[in-house]
Amino acid sequence: MEKKEIKSLTLPELQEEMAQLGEKSFRASQMYEWMHRKLARDYEEMSNIPAAMKAKCGERYRYTALKIAAVQESAVDGTKKFLFALSDGNVVESVWMRYKHGNSVCISSQVGCRMGCRFCASTLDGLVRNLTPAEMLDQIYAITLETKERVSNVVVMGSGEPLDNYDNLLRFITLLSDENGLHISQRNITVSTCGIVPMMRRLADEKLQITLALSLHAATDEKRRELMPIANQYTLAELMACCAYYFEQTGRRITFEYSLVRHVNDSGKDAQMLASLIRGLNCHVNLIPVNPVKERNYVQSERHSVEAFAALLQKKGINVTVRREMGRDIDGACGQLRRRFLAEMKEG
Ligand code: SAH
């Protein structure tokens, strides 16, 4: 049987496990603090834990840690992109962004992705595997250690579809927002999905205080199907009903992400249709000029189209922001750094 990951256990679970090993409850708390507060990279660092207990844990559990495989820093805005090597040799990307209101980290939830969105680099080679809760936390922990600054916001918007890795995602959120860990408020955690309706409903029923972002990208089923294969499974009508349900259950306003692609979804008519589609929903629209991906021929909307699109939504009373592009000079788009790294490895 595979060893359990010690960093994926909640504090009560760890207490239970330690009790079975004959350890006192305060030892579990100490160890939890080393893992989730002091961000220890291994058992060695845990100076107040008896060597015998560390040895027992070493035998019984896996202790995950990431290695930095590459870092790129933007000369424009200080954004840092990290490529991390997992213990099985797979690599994932995370991004660190500094904003006025605090530091934000964008993490990956899977190695690769199976959703197949046409404009996205993460999905080009399909899904390799899910990330475990500890591996999702590790991205934040490693970046905190590296930058020596507190992370205040986490967005699950890197590679992967978080709702395709549901149980691990929920456990990750529990651990990340735990007061005995980094204690990042759920209100400062955003999960972005391409729109897997039954999973969104399940998430709504958990009544968490996180922000749910839905990658919409089109206002008609036909256009959305061209961009996102998931749109063949769920219609926009189902999605909108689901978003209303999410708000009803959680009281949290939905964020709609809309990547603007030149001559594909950025016309005045597109903006009109989007406005009618989301009318009446408690929401916010985030417009993202599409990041060109080498393997795809989508082109970014022109500045004036982006502005006109935003202005039309605003006129209709819709909350809208245009995402500031961070780190464009450093393979900013999802999955691009990983792809380049893997290609270079192949070439030797
Ligand atoms: N699977 C999730 C989260 C990962 S993608 C989702 O689909 O939401 C995070 C966001 O980046 C999504 O809105 C996605 O559609 C968008 N995205 C992916 N590739 C992009 C690109 N090349 N340019 C702009 N946005 C992109």
Side-chain angles (χ1 to χ4, degrees), residues 119-120 157-158 160-162 192-194 215 217 257 259 290-291 293 334:
F119 44 81
C120 181
M157 272 192 198
E161 168 50 47
S192 178
T193 178
C194 63
S215 301
H217 306 320
E257 290 161 282
S259 296
V290 81
N291 249 312
V293 173
C334 311

